[in-house]
Amino acid sequence: YSVSLSNTGQYQSAVIYGGNIFTSSDYGVTWTQRNPSGSVQNWDSISISSSGQYQVAVINGGNIWTSSDFGVTWTERNTGSTRTYEAVAMSSTGQYQTVVASNSNIWTSSDYGITWTARLNDTTRSWFSISISYTGQYQTATTSQTLGNIWSSSDYGVTWSTRGSTGAYRHVSVSSTGQYQTVATFNSTLFTSSDYGINWIARDSTRNWQSVSLSSTGQYQSAVVFASPNRYIYTSSDFGASWNPRPQLDRKSTRLNS
């Protein structure tokens, strides 16, 4: 399950795991079901451009699908071999798009999702999350296995460098400029960066951090902890330097989308 909104909120798109794509062009009031593959699929993630015109969605165990008409029609991309796609992100204009797949590679596009190039294809990794800056220049991805890593790129996803120590990294979120970045780690601390993902600092305490999201400037941040019976939202107003617990969550799982 995943949902993404345009900058104004007029255009909204959601995907359902074991279902279809749903789109709205009236600020979420009414929704239209889209079924580009002809059958229900395990849609895992979706991202749309600031205007809403360009959209990309991925199927876990399938392919990449893109739209250039606000989600009305969809085209299958990167065909030939199905993959366990996990997450997708795009730049504000939609020109730069990046997808990660578990037990596979990072895939990038610089032409609005038409063609795709495999990155870090020396070996497969358990990619989990991806987040990119407003322009698409700065990108950060995580791998989720016990000895996973944080990977960052400063050239629109062409080359990547491993950062920090190993860990069970989960969700990542970056500010609009890419300067401020935060990663949630399972059974560890939060990690923050204020230099575009080069250096990382451990924050707060060891918890089962599940997800994190940043404001445009990076000053305000929220993260979710899942560890029954303590399910909390933690918030920061100082770029992730300090964190405060908020009311306990009632649901069994929560995911924040950046």
Side-chain angles (χ1 to χ4, degrees):
Y1 302 91
S2 178
V3 63
S4 187
L5 279 68
S6 65
N7 191 48
T8 64
Q10 179 179 355
Y11 297 97
Q12 305 183 19
S13 293
V15 293
I16 305 297
Y17 195 90
N20 291 303
I21 298 174
F22 293 83
T23 65
S24 173
S25 58
D26 57 3
Y27 300 91
V29 177
T30 60
W31 292 81
T32 301
Q33 180 174 273
R34 312 291 181 182
N35 189 11
S37 67
S39 62
V40 297
Q41 298 288 343
N42 292 330
W43 297 99
D44 217 356
S45 183
I46 190 167
S47 184
I48 70 179
S49 62
S50 289
S51 67
Q53 179 180 354
Y54 297 98
Q55 308 193 13
V56 59
V58 292
I59 296 174
N60 190 309
N63 289 309
I64 301 168
W65 290 76
T66 65
S67 173
S68 59
D69 59 3
F70 299 90
V72 176
T73 61
W74 293 80
T75 302
E76 190 174 15
R77 309 288 188 184
N78 211 30
T79 58
S81 178
T82 59
R83 298 173 179 86
T84 309
Y85 292 110
E86 295 286 350
V88 60
M90 71 165 61
S91 63
S92 176
T93 63
Q95 179 179 355
Y96 299 98
Q97 304 182 15
T98 302
V99 169
V100 295
S102 180
N103 299 316
S104 184
N105 313 115
I106 293 177
W107 295 82
T108 65
S109 173
S110 58
D111 57 4
Y112 299 90
I114 297 174
T115 59
W116 292 83
T117 302
R119 310 292 185 183
L120 289 176
N121 55 1
D122 58 313
T123 185
T124 60
R125 298 175 175 88
S126 295
W127 298 103
F128 185 84
S129 180
I130 177 72
S131 186
I132 70 180
S133 64
Y134 186 88
T135 63
Q137 180 180 354
Y138 298 99
Q139 309 192 13
T140 298
T142 60
T143 52
S144 62
Q145 65 265 44
T146 303
L147 298 178
N149 293 103
I150 300 171
W151 292 79
S152 66
S153 172
S154 59
D155 57 4
Y156 300 90
V158 176
T159 61
W160 293 80
S161 299
T162 182
R163 308 292 186 184
S165 58
T166 58
Y169 296 108
R170 307 291 287 178
H171 196 256
V172 58
S173 184
V174 309
S175 64
S176 290
T177 63
Q179 180 179 354
Y180 298 99
Q181 307 186 11
T182 300
V183 170
T185 310
F186 197 77
N187 194 30
S188 185
T189 63
L190 290 169
F191 289 87
T192 66
S193 173
S194 59
D195 58 2
Y196 300 89
I198 298 174
N199 297 294
W200 294 83
I201 299 174
R203 304 291 189 181
D204 202 75
S205 302
T206 296
R207 312 179 198 278
N208 288 330
W209 298 101
Q210 192 76 11
S211 187
V212 64
S213 189
L214 274 63
S215 65
S216 176
T217 63
Q219 180 178 353
Y220 299 98
Q221 307 187 16
S222 292
V224 170
V225 171
F226 173 70
S228 182
N230 299 316
R231 307 178 188 96
Y232 288 95
I233 294 175
Y234 282 74
T235 63
S236 172
S237 59
D238 55 6
F239 299 92
S242 60
W243 293 82
N244 296 300
R246 302 305 178 187
Q248 186 171 347
L249 299 174
D250 293 326
R251 298 189 61 182
K252 292 185 178 180
S253 64
T254 302
R255 179 175 181 175
L256 298 177
N257 289 315
S258 59

